[in-house]
Amino acid sequence: MKITAIALNTFKEAIRDRILYLLLFFAVVSLIFSRLLAILAVGDRVKIIMDVGLASLSLFGALMAILMGTSLVFKEIDKKTIYTLLSKPIHRYQFLLGKFFGLILTLLVMLFFMSLIFIVIVLLHSGRIEWGMFAALAFIFLELCLITAVAMFFSCISSPILSSVFSLSFYLIGHLSWGLETLINKIKPGFGKTIVQVLYTLIPDLENFNFKTEIVHHLPVPPQVFLYATIYGIMYTLFVLTAAMLVFRKRDFV
Amino acid sequence: MGNALKITGLFKSFKSEFLRKNIEILKGISLSVEEGEIFGYLGPNGAGKTTTLKCILGLIFPDKGEIEILGLPYLSLKAKARIGFLPENPYFYDYLTASEFLRFYCQLHQIKKADIEEKTSTLLSLVGLEKSSSLQLRKFSKGMLQRIGLAQALLNEPELVLLDEPLGGLDPLGRKEIRDIIVRLKEEGKTVFLSSHILQDIEMVCDRVAIIVSGQIINQGRLHDLISQKILFTETTISGIKEEELKKYGECVSSYGGRTLIKITDEKKVEKILELVHTKKAKIHSLVPRTESLEDLFVGTVKQE
Ligand SMILES: Nc1ncnc2c1ncn2[C@@H]1O[C@H](COP(=O)(O)OP(=O)(O)OP(=O)(O)O)[C@@H](O)[C@H]1O
Ligand SMILES: [Mg+2]
């Protein structure tokens, strides 16, 4: 109940953030842009709409998660609202979990609206509902949960600007980790190689949550792959959240 | 009677941002607050009052020292469920209305849903904010924030109330109202710990005080013991008698518009001057005996440092 109360309050706060609506606006613009792109393109237009559409949902969702995840905890400390909050009978981890679930709720609502527009655009164009899209959207949401946890973790150890930079790098590297793999094979052994190797092991492969291509091109996906991606996402989120709670537990609020 | 709050040997230092040097802010604070009293924590700006309170509430972690709240470990939820805290210059979620805010904090105290409405309205009227219950906190004035802050501190009917500068930012009427609430809390059997650098406020309500100067407690005890009740001098304003004549009785502080203010240190001379006024048919405009005030004590000890 305490966590729920904090989560709902976080939701109330997050939903008032103007940046959220700015991002939502750009997401819608890029969805409409995908529609225009499809008109110009040759080949399967529905595929282009879906491809570009899902990619922009994922990108703008991630930007929302990063911006809010890095600022909300910081704001609470900066504005000193945390002083009275933590003097109530709650544990610090309950505070952090409340914030997390509040953000997740916000992202769910945002993703819902973006998806609605996306689905309507696809529907208007193709005249049928692609059920596979829902699986792709579900995994985008799972990825957003992970990114939120990561953003919150960074905000527990650094300033909002730094933690945004870290989280954004996490997102980008996470999607390019196949690139890191080739990089490891290419560069000579040494300090640089070690760093890349550490990054490669630490940062999860976010492409695990990307089923865009499979779904757009109607490729079969074995259920184990979905299952594996789900477990991978949940475990990683829990791991990062736990790390955040451990850091947060001993922190001075000055 | 037991201790509502007991602090022993509290040390806290902060790392300075530039030199990475440790600055010691609290240098071994020890104090105990008895149940049912109003305890004043007195000290000049930057003495470490807020830092002490933050340690008590577990917002920062002391380097050394022990804190006990109502006989419980200070970080336990059981202890926190029985205290209330008002920070200095309180600031709250500015997008919530006053009653939304109190309802939110009620949930953190796990107050039953059925009681929340009643609780919020009682507290809002206690602090005189019943008319602003549906106003967003962003539109609150400083004094109103102080009041809503006090209201949230009292939600759980705490046994120990910790107030950091509770009268800061209030007008004279507001100060009186909050002071009345503090006294009422004591009458209800609650313990109040309040920090301030404003002496009159503490003087009026506190049973015992501790004086902290640059991170150390330099004096602690009953107000009557710290302050002697002896009359130090008497100040009186008289008109109708020449200044030269009055000089025999005491020191002339000022003279304006035929009125002379003199400071008399000898009590017998006060009687004499009254007789003189009577025989000369002169006029007394004021007569104020001055005892040692907390202010004198405070200035005295701070200067010694
Ligand atoms: N995070 C911090 N880092 C370094 N120094 C700090 C920090 N927080 C407080 N201080 C220093 O600790 C000292 C005590 O501060 P504190 O806020 O406890 O004073 P105070 O007694 O509450 O004063 P006031 O009456 O002005 O509220 C000050 O000199 C302040 O500069
Ligand atoms: Mg202070």
Side-chain angles (χ1 to χ4, degrees):
Chain A
M1 179 169 148
K2 293 172 186 172
I3 295 178
T4 321
I6 296 173
L8 289 179
N9 186 49
T10 306
F11 176 71
K12 269 190 201 168
E13 179 178 3
I15 214 80
R16 278 166 221 244
D17 200 338
R18 291 214 186 90
I19 288 191
L20 207 58
Y21 295 97
L22 194 68
L23 287 174
L24 191 64
F25 172 75
F26 280 120
V28 173
V29 166
S30 70
L31 285 176
I32 293 169
F33 177 71
S34 74
R35 175 77 179 80
L36 297 178
L37 205 64
I39 296 174
L40 301 175
V42 281
D44 195 337
R45 289 178 177 166
V46 180
K47 279 181 184 154
I48 291 176
I49 294 178
M50 282 178 62
D51 215 20
V52 178
L54 284 173
S56 42
L57 288 196
S58 161
L59 176 69
F60 285 102
L63 287 179
M64 286 176 184
I66 290 172
L67 280 174
M68 290 193 297
T70 52
S71 68
L72 274 181
V73 175
F74 174 80
K75 245 193 240 164
E76 197 100 20
I77 299 169
D78 191 47
K79 295 203 164 173
K80 305 188 173 172
T81 46
I82 200 167
Y83 288 4
T84 45
L85 197 61
L86 287 187
S87 71
K88 303 292 170 214
I90 58 166
H91 289 290
R92 285 189 176 188
Y93 77 84
Q94 290 175 317
F95 166 79
L96 219 52
L97 280 182
K99 285 272 142 190
F100 177 75
F101 287 122
L103 283 191
I104 294 301
L105 183 60
T106 315
L107 288 171
L108 192 64
V109 171
M110 287 293 141
L111 193 63
F112 174 79
F113 284 115
M114 290 193 290
S115 308
L116 205 63
I117 296 167
F118 168 67
I119 290 168
V120 167
I121 287 177
V122 174
L123 195 64
L124 285 180
H125 193 84
S126 70
R128 65 197 151 87
I129 287 188
E130 302 263 352
W131 293 105
M133 282 187 316
F134 292 101
L137 288 172
F139 281 96
I140 288 179
F141 178 64
L142 187 60
E143 184 185 337
L144 292 187
C145 292
L146 173 56
I147 292 172
T148 306
V150 169
M152 279 179 60
F153 169 77
F154 283 130
S155 81
C156 287
I157 56 172
S158 63
S159 70
I161 292 181
L162 268 186
S163 46
S164 311
V165 172
F166 288 151
S167 316
L168 210 55
S169 328
F170 174 91
Y171 176 72
L172 294 178
I173 297 176
H175 275 291
L176 299 172
S177 60
W178 51 268
L180 282 187
E181 209 175 350
T182 22
L183 199 63
I184 288 175
N185 296 331
K186 286 236 172 99
I187 49 179
K188 288 185 205 99
F191 185 61
K193 186 165 176 145
T194 327
I195 287 188
V196 178
Q197 252 163 349
V198 168
L199 278 180
Y200 181 69
T201 0
L202 225 54
I203 295 182
D205 186 355
L206 294 179
E207 283 298 313
N208 279 332
F209 308 118
N210 184 0
F211 293 102
K212 235 176 16 238
T213 328
E214 288 85 343
I215 279 155
V216 169
H217 296 281
H218 300 287
L219 305 175
V221 183
Q224 306 88 283
V225 175
F226 281 137
L227 185 69
Y228 169 75
T230 312
I231 293 174
Y232 185 74
I234 292 175
M235 293 308 279
Y236 220 104
T237 307
L238 287 181
F239 169 72
V240 178
L241 269 184
T242 314
M245 288 190 256
L246 286 178
V247 177
F248 201 63
R249 206 168 58 117
K250 277 289 152 206
R251 188 170 163 175
D252 273 357
F253 298 114
V254 289
Chain B
M1 242 195 267
N3 283 327
L5 174 69
K6 192 170 156 63
I7 303 177
T8 17
L10 197 68
F11 284 85
K12 176 71 189 172
S13 54
F14 288 115
K15 284 214 165 49
S16 78
E17 302 241 325
F18 306 106
L19 301 165
R20 311 297 296 162
K21 207 175 65 183
N22 264 349
I23 331 167
E24 203 158 61
I25 304 297
L26 300 182
K27 304 161 187 161
I29 299 284
S30 296
L31 57 86
S32 55
V33 180
E34 278 163 31
E35 264 171 41
E37 72 177 347
I38 303 181
F39 190 94
Y41 196 42
L42 195 56
N45 288 136
K49 303 182 294 291
T50 302
T51 309
T52 314
L53 275 162
K54 280 190 190 167
C55 285
I56 298 172
L57 290 151
L59 295 170
I60 57 179
F61 295 96
D63 305 332
K64 220 162 63 181
E66 269 146 47
I67 303 171
E68 222 175 63
I69 295 174
L70 300 157
L72 298 163
Y74 75 113
L75 290 175
S76 66
L77 292 200
K78 270 197 191 135
K80 285 204 178 147
R82 289 162 66 184
I83 61 171
F85 170 55
L86 167 69
E88 67 180 337
N89 308 322
Y91 187 87
F92 303 109
Y93 305 96
D94 54 11
Y95 48 90
L96 295 180
T97 67
S99 55
E100 277 173 340
F101 169 66
L102 289 186
R103 257 181 262 144
F104 171 37
Y105 274 17
C106 276
Q107 290 174 320
L108 298 181
H109 276 301
Q110 298 190 297
I111 292 170
K112 278 198 225 83
K113 266 219 171 76
D115 303 336
I116 288 183
E117 265 336 289
E118 199 198 322
K119 185 119 239 167
T120 356
S121 57
T122 335
L123 274 167
L124 282 173
S125 57
L126 176 74
V127 296
L129 285 176
E130 60 272 68
K131 286 205 189 93
S132 320
S133 67
S134 51
L135 193 65
Q136 275 189 336
L137 295 183
R138 73 168 81 244
K139 294 171 187 149
F140 268 42
S141 71
K142 204 172 166 206
M144 288 162 88
L145 281 174
Q146 199 79 26
R147 287 156 191 260
I148 192 80
L150 189 62
Q152 64 79 30
L154 301 177
L155 275 179
N156 54 332
E157 292 171 27
E159 289 158 60
L160 170 64
V161 191
L162 302 146
L163 310 170
D164 197 357
E165 313 250 359
L167 305 177
L170 294 177
D171 56 24
L173 190 65
R175 307 176 84 83
K176 186 186 163 345
E177 282 174 15
I178 301 292
R179 235 176 4 235
D180 289 347
I181 295 175
I182 293 175
V183 171
R184 199 176 331 156
L185 288 174
K186 179 190 150 100
E187 284 165 4
E188 287 168 16
K190 291 169 180 157
T191 314
V192 183
F193 178 94
L194 70 98
S195 94
S196 179
H197 55 249
I198 296 162
L199 304 146
Q200 295 90 319
D201 300 330
I202 287 214
E203 212 164 14
M204 265 182 234
V205 295
C206 290
D207 300 302
R208 286 199 310 140
V209 297
I211 299 176
I212 171 176
V213 176
S214 50
Q216 278 169 316
I217 300 228
I218 53 169
N219 221 330
Q220 173 167 205
R222 302 221 149 258
L223 261 180
H224 303 291
D225 301 338
L226 294 186
I227 300 169
S228 70
Q229 298 293 301
K230 187 178 106 232
I231 294 170
L232 292 174
F233 57 86
T234 309
E235 279 181 336
T236 172
T237 321
I238 292 168
S239 67
I241 302 179
K242 290 228 169 66
E243 200 182 315
E244 290 80 61
E245 214 168 327
L246 288 172
K247 265 188 186 153
K248 287 178 229 156
Y249 298 91
E251 176 194 342
C252 282
V253 180
S254 67
S255 172
Y256 179 76
R259 295 183 182 189
T260 313
L261 172 68
I262 42 174
K263 187 171 155 185
I264 311 160
T265 22
D266 189 349
E267 260 177 89
K268 280 180 204 137
K269 286 196 176 155
V270 177
E271 309 271 321
K272 293 242 173 75
I273 214 167
L274 289 178
E275 277 168 31
L276 182 76
V277 167
H278 198 71
T279 49
K280 289 226 166 185
K281 295 228 161 41
K283 221 171 164 188
I284 292 188
H285 298 278
S286 73
L287 182 83
V288 190
R290 283 281 310 270
T291 52
E292 189 183 31
S293 70
L294 206 45
E295 194 120 41
D296 301 317
L297 177 77
F298 192 47
V299 173
T301 32
V302 171
K303 270 192 189 145
Q304 271 170 30
E305 277 297 302

